[in-house]
Amino acid sequence: MTEHFKMDAPATEHRLDDMAQGLVGAPLDRPEGPFKVTGTATYANEWQIEGMVHGIMVRSPGNSGRVVLANRDAVAAMPGVLAVIQDDRLLRNPAQGTADAAPIQGARHADYTGQLIAVVVAESFEQARHAAQSLTVVLESGKTVTVDPDTAAVEPQEGQAVDQGDLESAMRDAAHRVDVVYSTPSHSSSPMEPHASIATWDGDDLTLRGSYQMLKYNRNELADALGIHPDRVRIISPFVGGGFGSKLGLSPEAVAAAIAAQQLGRPVSVALTRPQVYEATMRRSETHQRVRLSADGDGRLTGLGHDARVSNLPGETFAEPVLQASHFLYAGSNRQMSLDLVRLHRMCAGSVRAPGEAVGVTVLENAMDELAHEIGIDPVALRLRNIPETDPESGKDFSSSRFREALESGAEAFGWADRPGLKERREGEWLIGYGMASAARINVLMESQARVTLLPDGTARVETDMTDIGTGTYAILGQIAGDMLGLPRDAVTVVLGDTGLPPAAGSGGSWGAASSGTSVYVACEAIRRQLAERLGVAEPDLMLKDGRATYANQTQALSDVLKGDEIAKLGHVTPGDTSKAVRQATFGAYFAEVAVHAATGETRVRRMHGSFAAGRILNAKTARSQCLGGMTFGIGIALTEEMAFDPRDGHVTNHNLAEYHIPVNADVPQLTVALLEERDDWANPLQAKGIGELGICGAAAAITNAIFNATGVRVRDYPATLDKVIAGM
């Protein structure tokens, strides 16, 4: 039986506040943790299937032209080679998140350097790799293509534009103003596990073991790409070794594996090499951003302008939503915003962790720091003075906001009051600086389903195709079910990552925990009602704890209440009126201390603190880990991460972990995180909001603002590498 819940009104019951089991919110370990650390968790390319052969993808050497495999017959005759496949169904680029249909297909024409245009299959991985490397790819074309965002044609994104009041007049009449331009480069998700798939056919039915984040969409995308019905496709993905957005949509290796397996009648494994992950999955778009701020003599914003330019491949509709938080983060009656998209023959741009706010809030927070310096006001005080009471554009109330508390408590925890003035602190050859920034991220509820079964022995099973990409899904769904059904955590089994299970929201957009968690909650409420009906009591009068039901001065084991039966309920949540009635968002604040070497410009982050408010925290340990990861990503954006493209043909020049510099242990100090107590009735019955991406949204700005405090140097072209810092010194 399906229990459907539509989020049309605030959920004011707060049932999880008083559940006797006390699991939700506790810093519990991940139940799958032992499997991961012992190497017994099976990832996408680790399944051992009888008769399996191996495929290696082949890349395009250029960004335009008809693809010709010049020595195809010779490669096909190499030892062990089973097939050289060039098929019109191969994906040109990955699908965008929630695409629900195949992206642009076709392997006969190249649109960017590194595009995967063929797959070579052989008996062994080594034979396939050798053959793929031996294949000569020729592009027949004479046309010029665009790889420079500064010269590409611009497509204004009309739905993103805001023109409210008169910003030009506000800037002209302001007591204080800033008008600055910042740029950020492309970023790579760089998940630890490369994209990989193993395809097996049983007649007309396809099973794909893959590394994906949003299975209900991925199944439809794969079926559409192959021209078959989704009911014929099953995707299995119990463990995902990181995604960060790059595994939201279907990637080329999945379709290649499926086509090859069908053609050969054998299971086929296709895993992307590390360079192919960098070249042919998703990148965050580079951005060019202009921010204008005007303020009166008291430091209150009278105007806010934010104009951004981003890029993508021809035919793709995704445009990095740089302005998302600028719409609501600060007050200011005169507002002007625009987003332009340019078409580049570079790899596809799509969602990388915290799309939009990761770079948009960062630049806005740099501009706010510049304004604070211009006014001569403390940066925290400037932000506190400009927190809007309602959404400054729509006038809607905020569903909940502890933005002020995050700023104030974060400043106190960090010791911000002791911050020195500009270039005032030095330790030997190191210049010491302190910076801060705000954090903000939109909050979303998505349709999601989960089945919960209370078994005859008094244990429970939770089933949904939701994925765990390292975020703690196995833990939190078990905690919710355990609290609602009064069971110890080890009495709840959570089964994830299989499209044969009820379709969940998927891991993306920071909506996974709250959306899938609500579906579990709804199913458990229905089970509680049926238990109460069996016992002849009102459901609110039923207490469940430690596998026992207490009611009307009686106590029974759940197994005795069930009497050999099981109770299974399907929880189904859909967004409703609350998603439009109010502005839903999460907030926070970062504080950083850096040391900049006076002779070399090298920057080291010495300590960093983040305070965050994201509704009810479902698991304090996994939530903290998400914030730590986001702040680490912020260190990368600030100091090291940059995809470098050759200006001649747009190919990625640093397509490996050696040259794309993600932060490593030596780059990351001991980070501290404070999670503020909050409940958001408008979000869902859990009163929880997304936290996975909040930790990155503005984090880099705290570091670059600290560099300015230490040195007086503003680096407006990210990342703030030592050459840029020393040039200003």
Side-chain angles (χ1 to χ4, degrees):
M1 179 182 294
T2 301
E3 299 292 327
H4 179 235
F5 175 81
K6 189 176 182 183
M7 192 65 199
D8 279 330
T12 58
E13 286 188 294
H14 291 218
R15 299 196 69 173
L16 291 175
D17 284 349
D18 303 312
M19 284 296 174
Q21 204 65 41
L23 297 177
V24 171
L28 301 186
D29 292 340
R30 304 178 188 206
E32 83 286 6
F35 302 116
K36 291 181 175 178
V37 300
T38 58
T40 53
T42 306
Y43 287 88
N45 205 41
E46 295 180 334
W47 297 87
Q48 299 299 314
I49 301 175
E50 185 177 355
M52 185 172 71
V53 293
H54 302 270
I56 296 292
M57 301 295 292
V58 178
R59 65 187 293 278
S60 167
N63 68 5
S64 177
R66 189 174 73 88
V67 176
V68 177
L69 307 182
N71 61 339
R72 179 174 185 163
D73 291 343
V75 170
M78 293 177 68
V81 173
L82 301 172
V84 178
I85 298 172
Q86 188 182 26
D87 193 293
D88 289 336
R89 293 171 294 173
L90 292 175
L91 303 186
R92 180 190 72 162
N93 53 265
Q96 299 289 346
T98 72
D100 220 30
I104 293 173
Q105 295 172 266
R108 311 287 180 179
H109 188 278
D111 282 319
Y112 61 96
T113 306
Q115 179 180 331
L116 301 177
I117 45 81
V119 60
V120 178
V121 186
E123 291 285 355
S124 73
F125 169 80
E126 292 79 8
Q127 289 170 327
R129 181 179 58 186
H130 178 55
Q133 292 173 345
S134 301
L135 192 63
T136 300
V137 180
V138 176
L139 299 183
E140 295 181 348
S141 171
K143 70 175 184 177
T144 302
V145 297
T146 305
V147 293
D148 183 358
D150 292 328
T151 59
V154 172
E155 298 177 8
Q157 303 298 288
E158 299 298 340
Q160 300 289 329
V162 172
D163 194 352
Q164 178 178 303
D166 188 346
L167 180 61
E168 298 296 336
S169 295
M171 290 290 290
R172 184 183 61 246
D173 300 337
H176 305 282
R177 69 188 64 81
V178 298
D179 185 345
V180 291
V181 174
Y182 279 77
S183 61
T184 64
S186 282
H187 298 138
S188 169
S189 293
S190 299
M192 184 180 295
E193 178 195 21
H195 297 61
S197 296
I198 297 175
T200 307
W201 289 85
D202 182 5
D204 294 331
D205 295 329
L206 169 64
T207 297
L208 186 89
R209 292 167 171 84
S211 185
Y212 288 105
Q213 297 179 225
M214 309 184 76
L215 300 191
K216 73 176 179 183
Y217 301 108
N218 304 142
R219 178 175 67 173
N220 292 339
E221 292 155 5
L222 182 55
D224 187 44
L226 297 173
I228 62 177
H229 195 278
D231 289 348
R232 294 291 187 186
V233 176
R234 179 187 180 192
I235 299 180
I236 299 172
S237 188
F239 301 108
V240 180
F244 309 107
S246 72
K247 297 173 182 175
L248 290 176
L250 193 74
S251 292
E253 93 291 337
V255 175
I259 291 171
Q262 188 174 40
Q263 179 174 318
L264 297 173
R266 298 175 66 175
V268 175
S269 162
V270 180
L272 299 189
T273 65
R274 185 64 65 183
Q276 288 172 346
V277 170
Y278 278 97
E279 287 189 327
T281 61
M282 289 293 183
R283 65 178 174 96
R284 190 196 305 281
S285 170
E286 77 294 329
T287 74
H288 178 277
Q289 302 181 54
R290 180 190 182 193
V291 178
R292 289 171 287 170
L293 301 174
S294 62
D296 63 20
D298 294 326
R300 288 182 171 82
L301 288 174
T302 59
L304 192 158
H306 195 170
D307 302 293
R309 185 195 68 208
V310 298
S311 71
N312 211 335
L313 265 171
E316 291 297 305
T317 58
F318 178 87
E320 180 82 20
V322 176
L323 312 176
Q324 268 181 163
S326 299
H327 292 302
F328 62 83
L329 185 53
Y330 296 118
S333 57
N334 301 288
R335 309 174 75 83
Q336 185 174 308
M337 301 184 196
S338 66
L339 181 67
D340 291 336
L341 177 67
V342 298
R343 298 296 183 183
L344 298 181
H345 285 262
R346 293 181 180 177
M347 60 181 288
C348 185
S351 295
V352 176
R353 194 176 194 189
E357 288 97 330
V359 287
V361 174
T362 291
V363 169
L364 177 59
E365 289 304 293
N366 284 138
M368 286 291 285
D369 198 70
E370 296 207 36
L371 181 62
H373 181 70
E374 166 71 22
I375 297 171
I377 188 176
D378 183 272
V380 174
L382 176 65
R383 288 161 173 81
L384 290 170
R385 202 162 293 182
N386 287 287
I387 296 175
E389 293 185 5
T390 60
D391 185 296
E393 293 174 15
S394 69
K396 294 177 181 179
D397 289 332
F398 287 94
S399 59
S400 69
S401 173
R402 299 206 68 194
F403 186 19
R404 180 176 299 277
E405 292 83 353
L407 288 164
E408 293 175 337
S409 66
E412 182 177 359
F414 184 78
W416 182 255
D418 298 327
R419 174 185 189 249
L422 184 66
K423 300 193 289 187
E424 281 188 1
R425 183 167 294 178
R426 182 167 182 150
E427 296 178 4
E429 295 182 337
W430 295 92
L431 308 176
I432 312 303
Y434 300 81
M436 61 80 52
S438 301
R441 173 74 176 158
I442 58 169
N443 185 67
V444 180
L445 179 71
M446 295 285 280
E447 182 178 9
S448 201
Q449 296 183 38
R451 180 170 52 246
V452 180
T453 305
L454 187 59
L455 299 164
D457 63 358
T459 63
R461 183 174 64 247
V462 176
E463 298 170 297
T464 171
D465 80 355
M466 183 65 184
T467 51
D468 190 326
I469 61 173
T471 46
T473 309
Y474 281 104
I476 61 170
L477 296 189
Q479 288 171 266
I480 294 167
D483 261 2
M484 291 295 291
L485 300 179
L487 298 174
R489 176 63 190 86
D490 58 6
V492 180
T493 300
V494 178
V495 185
L496 303 177
D498 187 334
T499 54
L501 304 175
S507 297
S510 294
W511 60 58
S515 301
S516 63
T518 296
S519 65
V520 171
Y521 177 95
V522 169
C524 290
E525 274 201 321
I527 292 174
R528 289 179 64 95
R529 287 194 294 270
Q530 189 162 330
L531 286 172
E533 184 179 341
R534 280 189 174 220
L535 297 170
V537 297
E539 190 272 328
D541 296 330
L542 175 64
M543 185 181 79
L544 302 177
K545 183 180 181 182
D546 294 332
R548 303 184 69 81
T550 300
Y551 60 99
N553 296 320
Q554 301 180 58
T555 298
Q556 284 191 61
L558 282 176
S559 56
D560 293 336
V561 176
L562 292 167
K563 297 180 179 178
D565 297 332
E566 67 176 37
I567 302 176
K569 300 291 182 181
L570 183 68
H572 182 190
V573 60
T574 53
D577 293 342
T578 62
S579 63
K580 299 178 181 178
V582 291
R583 163 64 76 177
Q584 293 189 31
T586 54
F587 297 95
Y590 311 94
F591 298 84
E593 175 185 325
V594 305
V596 182
H597 197 278
T600 67
E602 176 192 354
T603 299
R604 296 180 182 176
V605 181
R606 303 215 306 187
R607 62 189 179 103
M608 192 170 181
H609 173 79
S611 289
F612 305 102
R616 183 193 301 276
I617 300 302
L618 300 174
N619 181 312
K621 179 177 287 188
T622 60
R624 176 178 177 273
S625 292
Q626 288 296 290
C627 295
L628 293 175
M631 292 163 69
T632 300
F633 214 143
I635 293 172
I637 292 176
L639 301 179
T640 62
E641 292 194 44
E642 177 179 15
M643 292 188 75
F645 294 90
D646 189 303
R648 296 167 297 179
D649 62 1
H651 79 268
V652 184
T653 63
N654 57 340
H655 57 189
N656 52 65
L657 288 170
E659 295 175 271
Y660 181 84
H661 295 148
I662 62 173
V664 296
N665 284 347
D667 301 312
V668 183
Q670 288 298 312
L671 308 177
T672 58
V673 171
L675 302 172
L676 304 187
E677 189 75 13
E678 185 183 32
R679 302 287 184 269
D680 192 332
D681 296 345
W682 291 86
N684 48 69
L686 309 178
Q687 291 83 39
K689 294 192 280 192
I691 199 169
E693 294 170 304
L694 178 62
I696 189 178
C697 300
I703 297 166
T704 50
N705 290 340
I707 292 174
F708 172 75
N709 178 248
T711 66
V713 176
R714 292 280 185 196
V715 178
R716 297 192 180 98
D717 177 25
Y718 277 88
T721 48
L722 57 85
D723 57 316
K724 298 172 187 175
V725 175
I726 199 67
M729 294 168 62

